[in-house]
Amino acid sequence: MPSPAYDLEAIRAEIPVLDRLVPLNNCSQAPPCRATLAAADAYLDSWRTDVMDWPSWMEEVEAARRAFAALIGADPADVAVGTSVSQLTASVASGLDWSGPRHRVAVSGMEFPTVSHVWMAQERSGAEVVRAERDATGVVPMEAWEAAIDERTLVVSAAHAWYQTGATQDLEAIAEMAHARGALLYADVYQILGTEPFHAPTCGADFVASGVLKYLMGIPGIAFLWIRPGLAERLRPPLTGWFGRTEPFAFDDTTLDWAPGARRLETGTPPVFEAHVARAGLEWLHALGLDAIGDWTATLSARLVNGAADRGLDVWTPPDPTAKAPTTAVRCADAHAVEAAMRARGFVVSARGPVVRLAPHFYNTLDEMDRSLDALADILGEHPAP
C-alpha cells in the first residue's frame, strides 16, 4: 500500500484533534497542531505576563514573513504582511493607475469573490472589469483568456485553483499571455499553496497572494503578498497606514514616504497574534518538505476522485490529480445538510454552493479517504444530487 516519504504516524501525533475527527476541510480551515497551539500559547503568555512586548512581537511578524518567503523561494523584502487577501489585493488595486489607456482588469469565473469584488471596486477610479468565463467542465479555457486580454489590459487576475472544485489553472501560460500584451499577472494561490512545491519567482506572476488558514496550517487574520522585485516602487496605494512608511516608529505624521519593496503595501498594526501561529505552521511545513507533501496529497486526491466515481457519486472535479488541488467536490441537493451529517459521523467537510468539498492534507490516510466516501455515499442516499 502506498505511504508518504515521512513518518505519517509521527505527523498525526502532532495533531490532537485526529483522536476524534477526520478533518477534510483543509480548503477552508486547517486543524491546529501542537506547534501552532504552542505558538498561540506563547503570545497569550506574553500578553498575560508582560502586558506589552513589542520588540518580541514584531520579531514574530518578521519571522512569519521570513517563513512565508522561504516556503515560496522568495526574498523576505519582497513579501508584504497583511490581515487578509482582501486587504492586500485592495492595496495593490488602489496603488495602480487606472486613468490611462491601460485600464482593464481581466478576471475569471474561478476567482474567489473577494478578489473580483476588489477589482470591481476600482471601477470608480476608471477600471473596467472583463471576464474570462468558465466552460461547461468548470475551467477557463485559454481561448477565453485570449479574448479577455488585450492592449488595454493593465492586470490579469487568476486563481491558481478554483475554490469550489479544486480545478487548477496554468499560471505560467496565463503569465506568458499577459506579459506578451504588456499586462501584469496577479495570482491568488490560497487554495493550493502548502500542498505541492511552489516557487513564486519562476511561476510567471507579478503578484502572489495567500492567507494561511487553509493548507498552511494557520488561522484567519493574516495573509502575505509577494511582489516581483522592482515592481513595488510603481505603487503608492492610498489604502495605506503607518507600517507602510520607511520608519513606522518615527511617528512622523507630516511625511508620507514609502517603505522599500513590498512593505509599502502594509497598512496598520500588523496581526501579531496571528503571526505567531502562522510562523509555526509555515516552519513545520517547510521542514517537512513540499515535495513529499505534494506526492502524498496527490495520492490522497486520486483516491478520492476514483473512489467517488466507483461509488457513483456526482464528482465535479477534474479526474486528473495533476490538474487539481487536493479538493474533490461532490454535487448534492443540500450541501450544508450533508456537511452537518458528515460532521455527525466524525468527518469535517466543507459545503460551497451545490457541492461538498473533501480536501485532505499531508496528515490524512488512505483509510480516511475510503471511510469518508462510504459515509458520504450513505448520506447522499438521503440527499441525492439535484
Side-chain angles (χ1 to χ4, degrees):
M1 180 174 291
S3 61
Y6 44 82
D7 186 339
L8 185 56
E9 288 306 311
I11 290 295
R12 289 174 62 83
E14 296 299 310
I15 304 174
V17 76
L18 296 181
D19 289 343
R20 59 185 182 84
L21 291 173
V22 178
L24 293 172
N25 63 321
N26 292 281
C27 57
S28 186
Q29 172 67 67
C33 65
R34 297 190 191 280
T36 53
L37 290 171
D41 287 342
Y43 170 77
L44 294 175
D45 288 344
S46 172
W47 184 29
R48 184 183 299 113
T49 303
D50 301 320
V51 180
M52 181 175 69
D53 186 0
W54 280 104
S56 70
W57 293 352
M58 290 300 97
E59 173 51 31
E60 280 292 331
V61 174
E62 293 309 310
R65 188 195 311 271
R66 292 192 297 269
F68 182 82
L71 195 77
I72 63 170
D75 187 326
D78 299 319
V79 173
V81 180
T83 57
S84 67
V85 167
S86 298
Q87 178 249 303
L88 289 168
T89 309
S91 291
V92 171
S94 75
L96 295 169
D97 181 4
W98 302 97
S99 64
R102 285 192 179 273
H103 61 277
R104 286 186 166 183
V105 53
V107 303
S108 79
M110 294 173 71
E111 296 277 82
F112 191 75
T114 193
V115 179
S116 287
H117 295 162
V118 167
W119 301 123
M120 292 167 65
Q122 293 304 313
E123 289 176 341
R124 66 186 297 176
S125 300
E128 178 185 354
V129 177
V130 179
R131 297 187 181 276
E133 299 294 347
R134 301 189 309 269
D135 63 17
T137 68
V139 300
V140 178
M142 292 305 295
E143 295 79 9
W145 281 118
E146 185 90 28
I149 306 169
D150 61 21
E151 71 282 354
R152 293 164 292 180
T153 306
L154 179 59
V155 180
V156 175
S157 181
H160 192 6
W162 188 23
Y163 70 93
Q164 195 159 52
T165 69
T168 55
Q169 301 194 88
D170 186 341
L171 290 184
E172 291 187 28
I174 297 170
E176 183 177 355
M177 186 181 299
H179 293 159
R181 290 163 172 78
L184 301 168
L185 176 61
Y186 168 97
D188 174 3
V189 301
Y190 214 148
Q191 286 291 336
I192 200 167
L193 192 60
T195 70
E196 61 181 41
F198 181 83
H199 190 254
T202 59
C203 76
D206 301 288
F207 306 96
V208 172
S210 181
V212 299
L213 76 159
K214 305 182 193 298
Y215 296 103
L216 295 181
M217 303 301 290
I219 57 175
I222 187 170
F224 300 90
L225 176 78
W226 174 82
I227 306 178
R228 185 167 299 284
L231 180 57
E233 282 63 33
R234 292 173 50 181
L235 305 175
R236 287 169 170 76
L239 177 60
T240 190
W242 65 307
F243 271 83
R245 308 285 71 78
T246 301
E247 296 290 344
F249 291 96
F251 300 106
D252 180 0
D253 65 344
T254 66
T255 303
L256 185 65
D257 60 2
W258 300 93
R263 293 170 187 262
R264 67 179 51 211
L265 292 181
E266 297 180 8
T267 55
T269 302
V272 174
F273 172 69
E274 294 83 355
H276 282 69
V277 178
R279 185 266 310 156
L282 287 162
E283 289 180 349
W284 192 36
L285 290 176
H286 190 54
L288 189 57
L290 291 184
D291 287 307
I293 289 173
D295 289 343
W296 187 238
T297 56
T299 299
L300 297 171
S301 181
R303 186 69 157 237
L304 280 177
V305 173
N306 296 331
D310 291 343
R311 291 164 175 80
L313 303 181
D314 187 1
V315 180
W316 192 23
T317 289
D320 180 0
T322 65
K324 63 188 285 293
T327 299
T328 295
V330 177
R331 288 188 178 98
C332 52
D334 188 341
H336 289 283
V338 173
E339 177 185 323
M342 287 288 285
R343 181 177 280 272
R345 299 190 184 202
F347 301 95
V348 187
V349 299
S350 176
R352 279 293 182 275
V355 301
V356 288
R357 303 175 300 170
L358 283 68
H361 205 359
F362 65 99
Y363 58 82
N364 285 119
T365 68
L366 291 172
D367 177 65
E368 289 174 334
M369 301 306 98
D370 297 339
R371 290 190 292 113
S372 67
L373 288 172
D374 287 341
L376 183 57
D378 187 47
I379 291 166
L380 288 180
E382 303 172 10
H383 301 274

